[in-house]
Amino acid sequence: TLLREMLPANPNLTAFSFLNRADHQGQDNDGAGELLKDSEFITYLDAPLGYRKAFSNSSADGLSVLEYKPKDPKAINELTTLYEKSLKGLKKR
């Protein structure tokens, strides 16, 4: 509702959703992803961030997983994928 109300004030407004703390295995994420795809005003990005210690540990230190040591290649890949898909989504508008 809020996005619908804001579009007249900002017609270029773009909103994205994605799964955070997603399960690495199984189909638990599928249902949530399908629901998010149904939104008229929010673009779903199929770029889940998994439930990884690297995300919580790095944020506790005020860092991104890109900066945190030791490096977690899977967490870095997930965040990079989300970033790239969000940029592609912005270019489509």
Side-chain angles (χ1 to χ4, degrees):
T1 302
L2 182 59
L3 289 172
R4 188 179 313 118
E5 291 173 1
M6 290 306 302
L7 280 174
N10 183 357
N12 293 321
L13 180 65
T14 303
F16 299 111
S17 65
F18 64 94
L19 295 179
N20 191 21
R21 297 182 72 172
D23 289 331
H24 301 291
Q25 301 174 7
Q27 299 177 344
D28 292 345
N29 302 328
D30 295 345
E34 288 303 315
L35 286 173
L36 292 171
K37 288 178 188 177
D38 289 341
S39 175
E40 181 181 350
F41 298 101
I42 302 173
T43 301
Y44 173 68
L45 300 176
D46 187 13
L49 298 181
Y51 183 66
R52 302 186 184 283
K53 286 184 177 182
F55 288 116
S56 59
N57 290 345
S58 62
S59 65
D61 287 347
L63 301 171
S64 161
V65 294
L66 303 172
E67 304 167 296
Y68 191 72
K69 302 232 185 319
K71 298 283 186 193
D72 181 332
K74 291 180 181 178
I76 290 170
N77 183 56
E78 290 174 359
L79 188 60
T80 302
T81 299
L82 176 62
Y83 172 75
E84 290 170 352
K85 288 190 176 191
S86 64
L87 285 180
K88 286 180 185 176
L90 288 172
K91 289 178 183 178
K92 288 181 182 179
R93 56 180 183 130

